[in-house]
Short mmCIF file of all heavy atoms in Angstrom, two decimals:
data_model
loop_
_atom_site.label_atom_id
_atom_site.label_comp_id
_atom_site.label_asym_id
_atom_site.label_seq_id
_atom_site.Cartn_x
_atom_site.Cartn_y
_atom_site.Cartn_z
N LEU Y 368 3.05 -13.64 -3.16
CA LEU Y 368 4.09 -13.34 -2.18
C LEU Y 368 5.03 -12.26 -2.70
O LEU Y 368 5.34 -11.30 -1.99
CB LEU Y 368 4.87 -14.61 -1.83
CG LEU Y 368 6.02 -14.43 -0.84
CD1 LEU Y 368 5.47 -14.09 0.54
CD2 LEU Y 368 6.88 -15.68 -0.80
N VAL Y 369 5.48 -12.41 -3.93
CA VAL Y 369 6.39 -11.43 -4.52
C VAL Y 369 5.70 -10.07 -4.62
O VAL Y 369 6.25 -9.05 -4.20
CB VAL Y 369 6.88 -11.90 -5.91
CG1 VAL Y 369 7.62 -10.79 -6.63
CG2 VAL Y 369 7.78 -13.11 -5.77
N PHE Y 370 4.48 -10.05 -5.15
CA PHE Y 370 3.79 -8.78 -5.35
C PHE Y 370 3.50 -8.08 -4.03
O PHE Y 370 3.80 -6.90 -3.86
CB PHE Y 370 2.50 -8.98 -6.13
CG PHE Y 370 1.71 -7.72 -6.29
CD1 PHE Y 370 2.17 -6.70 -7.11
CD2 PHE Y 370 0.53 -7.52 -5.59
CE1 PHE Y 370 1.47 -5.52 -7.24
CE2 PHE Y 370 -0.18 -6.34 -5.72
CZ PHE Y 370 0.29 -5.34 -6.55
N ASN Y 371 2.89 -8.79 -3.09
CA ASN Y 371 2.49 -8.14 -1.84
C ASN Y 371 3.69 -7.74 -0.98
O ASN Y 371 3.64 -6.71 -0.32
CB ASN Y 371 1.53 -9.04 -1.07
CG ASN Y 371 0.17 -9.03 -1.70
OD1 ASN Y 371 -0.42 -7.99 -1.94
ND2 ASN Y 371 -0.34 -10.21 -2.03
N SER Y 372 4.75 -8.52 -1.00
CA SER Y 372 5.94 -8.11 -0.23
C SER Y 372 6.57 -6.87 -0.84
O SER Y 372 7.01 -5.97 -0.12
CB SER Y 372 6.94 -9.26 -0.13
OG SER Y 372 7.37 -9.66 -1.40
N MET Y 373 6.58 -6.78 -2.16
CA MET Y 373 7.14 -5.58 -2.80
C MET Y 373 6.22 -4.37 -2.61
O MET Y 373 6.70 -3.26 -2.41
CB MET Y 373 7.40 -5.82 -4.28
CG MET Y 373 8.55 -6.73 -4.56
SD MET Y 373 10.08 -6.14 -3.79
CE MET Y 373 10.52 -7.56 -2.82
N LEU Y 374 4.93 -4.58 -2.64
CA LEU Y 374 3.99 -3.49 -2.39
C LEU Y 374 4.16 -2.96 -0.97
O LEU Y 374 4.20 -1.74 -0.76
CB LEU Y 374 2.55 -3.96 -2.63
CG LEU Y 374 1.46 -2.92 -2.55
CD1 LEU Y 374 1.64 -1.86 -3.63
CD2 LEU Y 374 0.09 -3.58 -2.69
N LEU Y 375 4.31 -3.86 -0.03
CA LEU Y 375 4.56 -3.45 1.36
C LEU Y 375 5.90 -2.73 1.49
O LEU Y 375 6.00 -1.70 2.16
CB LEU Y 375 4.52 -4.68 2.28
CG LEU Y 375 4.79 -4.41 3.76
CD1 LEU Y 375 3.70 -3.53 4.35
CD2 LEU Y 375 4.89 -5.72 4.51
N LEU Y 376 6.92 -3.25 0.82
CA LEU Y 376 8.24 -2.62 0.86
C LEU Y 376 8.20 -1.21 0.27
O LEU Y 376 8.81 -0.29 0.82
CB LEU Y 376 9.26 -3.49 0.13
CG LEU Y 376 10.70 -3.01 0.17
CD1 LEU Y 376 11.23 -2.95 1.60
CD2 LEU Y 376 11.57 -3.92 -0.69
N VAL Y 377 7.49 -1.03 -0.82
CA VAL Y 377 7.35 0.30 -1.43
C VAL Y 377 6.73 1.26 -0.43
O VAL Y 377 7.23 2.38 -0.23
CB VAL Y 377 6.52 0.24 -2.73
CG1 VAL Y 377 6.09 1.63 -3.17
CG2 VAL Y 377 7.30 -0.43 -3.84
N GLN Y 378 5.65 0.85 0.20
CA GLN Y 378 4.98 1.74 1.15
C GLN Y 378 5.86 2.04 2.36
O GLN Y 378 5.89 3.17 2.84
CB GLN Y 378 3.63 1.13 1.59
CG GLN Y 378 2.62 1.01 0.47
CD GLN Y 378 2.39 2.31 -0.28
OE1 GLN Y 378 2.31 3.39 0.30
NE2 GLN Y 378 2.26 2.20 -1.59
N LEU Y 379 6.58 1.04 2.85
CA LEU Y 379 7.47 1.29 3.99
C LEU Y 379 8.61 2.24 3.63
O LEU Y 379 8.98 3.11 4.42
CB LEU Y 379 8.03 -0.04 4.52
CG LEU Y 379 7.01 -0.95 5.21
CD1 LEU Y 379 7.66 -2.28 5.57
CD2 LEU Y 379 6.42 -0.28 6.43
N ILE Y 380 9.17 2.08 2.45
CA ILE Y 380 10.23 2.99 2.00
C ILE Y 380 9.68 4.41 1.85
O ILE Y 380 10.34 5.38 2.24
CB ILE Y 380 10.87 2.50 0.69
CG1 ILE Y 380 11.69 1.24 0.96
CG2 ILE Y 380 11.75 3.57 0.06
CD1 ILE Y 380 12.21 0.56 -0.28
N LEU Y 381 8.49 4.52 1.28
CA LEU Y 381 7.89 5.85 1.12
C LEU Y 381 7.66 6.52 2.47
O LEU Y 381 7.90 7.72 2.63
CB LEU Y 381 6.57 5.75 0.36
CG LEU Y 381 6.67 5.45 -1.13
CD1 LEU Y 381 5.29 5.21 -1.72
CD2 LEU Y 381 7.37 6.57 -1.87
N ILE Y 382 7.22 5.75 3.45
CA ILE Y 382 6.91 6.32 4.76
C ILE Y 382 8.18 6.62 5.55
O ILE Y 382 8.35 7.73 6.07
CB ILE Y 382 5.98 5.37 5.55
CG1 ILE Y 382 4.61 5.31 4.89
CG2 ILE Y 382 5.86 5.81 7.01
CD1 ILE Y 382 3.72 4.21 5.42
N TYR Y 383 9.09 5.65 5.64
CA TYR Y 383 10.22 5.79 6.56
C TYR Y 383 11.48 6.37 5.93
O TYR Y 383 12.32 6.90 6.65
CB TYR Y 383 10.54 4.44 7.21
CG TYR Y 383 9.42 3.99 8.11
CD1 TYR Y 383 8.63 2.90 7.77
CD2 TYR Y 383 9.12 4.67 9.28
CE1 TYR Y 383 7.59 2.48 8.58
CE2 TYR Y 383 8.08 4.28 10.10
CZ TYR Y 383 7.32 3.18 9.75
OH TYR Y 383 6.29 2.79 10.55
N VAL Y 384 11.64 6.29 4.62
CA VAL Y 384 12.82 6.87 3.99
C VAL Y 384 12.52 8.23 3.40
O VAL Y 384 13.24 9.20 3.62
CB VAL Y 384 13.39 5.92 2.91
CG1 VAL Y 384 14.54 6.57 2.16
CG2 VAL Y 384 13.83 4.60 3.53
N PHE Y 385 11.42 8.32 2.64
CA PHE Y 385 11.08 9.57 1.97
C PHE Y 385 10.06 10.41 2.74
O PHE Y 385 9.69 11.48 2.30
CB PHE Y 385 10.55 9.28 0.56
CG PHE Y 385 11.59 8.68 -0.35
CD1 PHE Y 385 11.46 7.38 -0.79
CD2 PHE Y 385 12.69 9.41 -0.75
CE1 PHE Y 385 12.41 6.81 -1.63
CE2 PHE Y 385 13.65 8.87 -1.58
CZ PHE Y 385 13.51 7.56 -2.02
N SER Y 386 9.57 9.94 3.88
CA SER Y 386 8.59 10.65 4.73
C SER Y 386 7.34 11.06 3.97
O SER Y 386 6.82 12.16 4.14
CB SER Y 386 9.24 11.88 5.37
OG SER Y 386 10.32 11.49 6.18
N ILE Y 387 6.85 10.17 3.13
CA ILE Y 387 5.61 10.39 2.39
C ILE Y 387 4.54 9.51 3.05
O ILE Y 387 4.59 8.29 2.94
CB ILE Y 387 5.76 10.03 0.90
CG1 ILE Y 387 6.87 10.86 0.28
CG2 ILE Y 387 4.44 10.22 0.16
CD1 ILE Y 387 7.25 10.44 -1.12
N PRO Y 388 3.57 10.11 3.73
CA PRO Y 388 2.58 9.30 4.45
C PRO Y 388 1.62 8.59 3.49
O PRO Y 388 1.29 9.09 2.42
CB PRO Y 388 1.83 10.33 5.30
CG PRO Y 388 1.98 11.61 4.56
CD PRO Y 388 3.32 11.53 3.88
N PHE Y 389 1.18 7.39 3.89
CA PHE Y 389 0.21 6.64 3.09
C PHE Y 389 -1.18 7.22 3.27
O PHE Y 389 -1.91 7.37 2.31
CB PHE Y 389 0.22 5.16 3.50
CG PHE Y 389 -0.74 4.33 2.71
CD1 PHE Y 389 -0.45 3.99 1.40
CD2 PHE Y 389 -1.93 3.89 3.26
CE1 PHE Y 389 -1.32 3.24 0.65
CE2 PHE Y 389 -2.81 3.12 2.52
CZ PHE Y 389 -2.50 2.79 1.20
N LEU Y 390 -1.54 7.53 4.50
CA LEU Y 390 -2.85 8.09 4.80
C LEU Y 390 -2.73 9.56 5.16
O LEU Y 390 -1.81 9.96 5.87
CB LEU Y 390 -3.49 7.35 5.98
CG LEU Y 390 -3.85 5.88 5.76
CD1 LEU Y 390 -4.35 5.28 7.05
CD2 LEU Y 390 -4.88 5.74 4.67
N GLU Y 391 -3.66 10.33 4.68
CA GLU Y 391 -3.73 11.74 5.07
C GLU Y 391 -4.45 11.83 6.42
O GLU Y 391 -5.12 10.88 6.85
CB GLU Y 391 -4.51 12.55 4.01
CG GLU Y 391 -3.83 12.59 2.67
CD GLU Y 391 -2.50 13.32 2.69
OE1 GLU Y 391 -2.36 14.30 3.44
OE2 GLU Y 391 -1.59 12.88 1.96
N GLU Y 392 -4.34 12.95 7.04
CA GLU Y 392 -4.99 13.19 8.33
C GLU Y 392 -6.50 12.97 8.22
O GLU Y 392 -7.15 13.50 7.33
CB GLU Y 392 -4.71 14.63 8.77
CG GLU Y 392 -5.01 14.93 10.20
CD GLU Y 392 -3.94 14.44 11.15
OE1 GLU Y 392 -2.79 14.26 10.73
OE2 GLU Y 392 -4.28 14.22 12.31
N GLY Y 393 -7.06 12.13 9.09
CA GLY Y 393 -8.49 11.92 9.13
C GLY Y 393 -8.99 10.76 8.26
O GLY Y 393 -10.17 10.45 8.30
N GLU Y 394 -8.15 10.15 7.48
CA GLU Y 394 -8.59 9.02 6.66
C GLU Y 394 -8.62 7.76 7.51
O GLU Y 394 -7.79 7.55 8.38
CB GLU Y 394 -7.66 8.80 5.46
CG GLU Y 394 -7.77 9.89 4.42
CD GLU Y 394 -6.85 9.64 3.23
OE1 GLU Y 394 -5.93 8.82 3.34
OE2 GLU Y 394 -7.08 10.28 2.20
N GLY Y 395 -9.60 6.91 7.25
CA GLY Y 395 -9.74 5.68 8.00
C GLY Y 395 -8.76 4.61 7.57
O GLY Y 395 -8.25 4.61 6.45
N ARG Y 396 -8.50 3.69 8.47
CA ARG Y 396 -7.55 2.61 8.18
C ARG Y 396 -8.14 1.58 7.21
O ARG Y 396 -7.39 0.77 6.66
CB ARG Y 396 -7.13 1.93 9.47
CG ARG Y 396 -6.47 2.90 10.43
CD ARG Y 396 -5.19 2.31 10.92
NE ARG Y 396 -4.59 3.23 11.87
CZ ARG Y 396 -3.47 3.87 11.63
NH1 ARG Y 396 -2.87 3.71 10.49
NH2 ARG Y 396 -2.96 4.68 12.52
N ILE Y 397 -9.43 1.62 6.98
CA ILE Y 397 -10.05 0.70 6.02
C ILE Y 397 -9.51 0.94 4.61
O ILE Y 397 -9.48 0.03 3.78
CB ILE Y 397 -11.59 0.81 6.06
CG1 ILE Y 397 -12.26 -0.32 5.27
CG2 ILE Y 397 -12.05 2.14 5.51
CD1 ILE Y 397 -12.20 -1.63 5.95
N ILE Y 398 -9.03 2.15 4.37
CA ILE Y 398 -8.47 2.49 3.06
C ILE Y 398 -7.26 1.62 2.74
O ILE Y 398 -7.04 1.25 1.58
CB ILE Y 398 -8.13 4.00 3.00
CG1 ILE Y 398 -9.42 4.80 3.02
CG2 ILE Y 398 -7.29 4.32 1.79
CD1 ILE Y 398 -9.24 6.28 3.05
N ILE Y 399 -6.50 1.24 3.75
CA ILE Y 399 -5.34 0.37 3.55
C ILE Y 399 -5.78 -0.97 2.97
O ILE Y 399 -5.19 -1.48 2.02
CB ILE Y 399 -4.56 0.17 4.87
CG1 ILE Y 399 -3.96 1.50 5.31
CG2 ILE Y 399 -3.49 -0.90 4.72
CD1 ILE Y 399 -3.34 1.46 6.69
N PHE Y 400 -6.84 -1.54 3.52
CA PHE Y 400 -7.33 -2.84 3.04
C PHE Y 400 -7.96 -2.74 1.66
O PHE Y 400 -7.78 -3.63 0.83
CB PHE Y 400 -8.31 -3.44 4.05
CG PHE Y 400 -7.66 -3.74 5.37
CD1 PHE Y 400 -7.95 -2.96 6.48
CD2 PHE Y 400 -6.74 -4.77 5.50
CE1 PHE Y 400 -7.34 -3.22 7.70
CE2 PHE Y 400 -6.13 -5.04 6.71
CZ PHE Y 400 -6.43 -4.26 7.80
N VAL Y 401 -8.67 -1.65 1.42
CA VAL Y 401 -9.26 -1.43 0.09
C VAL Y 401 -8.16 -1.26 -0.94
O VAL Y 401 -8.21 -1.84 -2.04
CB VAL Y 401 -10.21 -0.20 0.11
CG1 VAL Y 401 -10.66 0.17 -1.29
CG2 VAL Y 401 -11.41 -0.48 1.01
N PHE Y 402 -7.13 -0.49 -0.59
CA PHE Y 402 -6.00 -0.30 -1.48
C PHE Y 402 -5.32 -1.63 -1.79
O PHE Y 402 -5.02 -1.93 -2.95
CB PHE Y 402 -5.00 0.68 -0.84
CG PHE Y 402 -3.72 0.83 -1.60
CD1 PHE Y 402 -3.67 1.60 -2.76
CD2 PHE Y 402 -2.55 0.22 -1.16
CE1 PHE Y 402 -2.49 1.75 -3.46
CE2 PHE Y 402 -1.37 0.36 -1.86
CZ PHE Y 402 -1.33 1.13 -3.02
N ALA Y 403 -5.06 -2.43 -0.77
CA ALA Y 403 -4.39 -3.73 -0.97
C ALA Y 403 -5.25 -4.66 -1.84
O ALA Y 403 -4.73 -5.33 -2.74
CB ALA Y 403 -4.09 -4.38 0.37
N PHE Y 404 -6.54 -4.68 -1.60
CA PHE Y 404 -7.44 -5.52 -2.40
C PHE Y 404 -7.44 -5.08 -3.86
O PHE Y 404 -7.31 -5.91 -4.77
CB PHE Y 404 -8.87 -5.47 -1.84
CG PHE Y 404 -9.86 -6.18 -2.70
CD1 PHE Y 404 -9.91 -7.57 -2.71
CD2 PHE Y 404 -10.73 -5.47 -3.51
CE1 PHE Y 404 -10.83 -8.23 -3.53
CE2 PHE Y 404 -11.64 -6.12 -4.32
CZ PHE Y 404 -11.69 -7.51 -4.33
N LEU Y 405 -7.57 -3.78 -4.09
CA LEU Y 405 -7.60 -3.27 -5.47
C LEU Y 405 -6.26 -3.48 -6.18
O LEU Y 405 -6.24 -3.80 -7.38
CB LEU Y 405 -8.00 -1.80 -5.48
CG LEU Y 405 -9.45 -1.50 -5.09
CD1 LEU Y 405 -9.69 0.00 -5.03
CD2 LEU Y 405 -10.42 -2.17 -6.02
N MET Y 406 -5.17 -3.32 -5.47
CA MET Y 406 -3.86 -3.56 -6.08
C MET Y 406 -3.68 -5.03 -6.44
O MET Y 406 -3.11 -5.35 -7.48
CB MET Y 406 -2.74 -3.09 -5.16
CG MET Y 406 -2.60 -1.58 -5.08
SD MET Y 406 -2.29 -0.79 -6.67
CE MET Y 406 -0.69 -1.43 -7.08
N ASN Y 407 -4.17 -5.94 -5.60
CA ASN Y 407 -4.09 -7.36 -5.93
C ASN Y 407 -4.96 -7.70 -7.12
O ASN Y 407 -4.58 -8.50 -7.97
CB ASN Y 407 -4.46 -8.22 -4.72
CG ASN Y 407 -3.30 -8.40 -3.78
OD1 ASN Y 407 -2.44 -9.22 -4.03
ND2 ASN Y 407 -3.27 -7.61 -2.71
N LEU Y 408 -6.12 -7.10 -7.21
CA LEU Y 408 -6.99 -7.30 -8.37
C LEU Y 408 -6.32 -6.78 -9.63
O LEU Y 408 -6.30 -7.46 -10.67
CB LEU Y 408 -8.33 -6.58 -8.15
CG LEU Y 408 -9.38 -6.73 -9.23
CD1 LEU Y 408 -9.82 -8.18 -9.34
CD2 LEU Y 408 -10.57 -5.83 -8.91
N LEU Y 409 -5.72 -5.62 -9.53
CA LEU Y 409 -4.98 -5.05 -10.65
C LEU Y 409 -3.79 -5.93 -11.03
O LEU Y 409 -3.48 -6.11 -12.22
CB LEU Y 409 -4.51 -3.64 -10.29
CG LEU Y 409 -3.96 -2.78 -11.40
CD1 LEU Y 409 -5.01 -2.55 -12.47
CD2 LEU Y 409 -3.50 -1.46 -10.84
N PHE Y 410 -3.14 -6.52 -10.04
CA PHE Y 410 -2.03 -7.41 -10.32
C PHE Y 410 -2.47 -8.65 -11.10
O PHE Y 410 -1.80 -9.08 -12.03
CB PHE Y 410 -1.35 -7.84 -9.01
CG PHE Y 410 -0.41 -8.99 -9.19
CD1 PHE Y 410 0.77 -8.83 -9.90
CD2 PHE Y 410 -0.70 -10.22 -8.67
CE1 PHE Y 410 1.64 -9.89 -10.09
CE2 PHE Y 410 0.16 -11.29 -8.85
CZ PHE Y 410 1.33 -11.12 -9.56
N PHE Y 411 -3.61 -9.24 -10.74
CA PHE Y 411 -4.10 -10.40 -11.47
C PHE Y 411 -4.38 -10.06 -12.94
O PHE Y 411 -4.07 -10.83 -13.84
CB PHE Y 411 -5.38 -10.95 -10.83
CG PHE Y 411 -5.11 -11.75 -9.59
CD1 PHE Y 411 -5.69 -11.40 -8.38
CD2 PHE Y 411 -4.27 -12.86 -9.62
CE1 PHE Y 411 -5.45 -12.13 -7.24
CE2 PHE Y 411 -4.03 -13.60 -8.48
CZ PHE Y 411 -4.61 -13.23 -7.29
N ILE Y 412 -4.95 -8.88 -13.16
CA ILE Y 412 -5.21 -8.44 -14.54
C ILE Y 412 -3.89 -8.24 -15.28
O ILE Y 412 -3.74 -8.67 -16.43
CB ILE Y 412 -6.06 -7.15 -14.53
CG1 ILE Y 412 -7.45 -7.45 -13.97
CG2 ILE Y 412 -6.16 -6.56 -15.93
CD1 ILE Y 412 -8.27 -6.23 -13.65
#
């Protein structure tokens, strides 16, 4: 809960405060799920 809420908060701040997009033009939304899965795996390690 702590990790994923902070990961989501980081991405929201990057997008809405600093205007840094998560996805580039033409990238699929599946990348969001792959990113979240890999970050959670990295968090466990």
Side-chain angles (χ1 to χ4, degrees):
L368 178 68
V369 170
F370 177 71
N371 285 307
S372 60
M373 289 304 124
L374 186 63
L375 179 64
L376 184 61
V377 166
Q378 295 307 320
L379 290 175
I380 290 172
L381 288 173
I382 292 169
Y383 294 111
V384 175
F385 295 112
S386 299
I387 302 171
F389 181 74
L390 294 175
E391 296 295 325
E392 194 79 23
E394 290 181 343
R396 301 229 182 248
I397 191 74
I398 291 177
I399 295 172
F400 296 108
V401 171
F402 173 76
F404 174 76
L405 291 176
M406 286 301 294
N407 278 280
L408 183 64
L409 192 60
F410 167 68
F411 283 122
I412 294 168

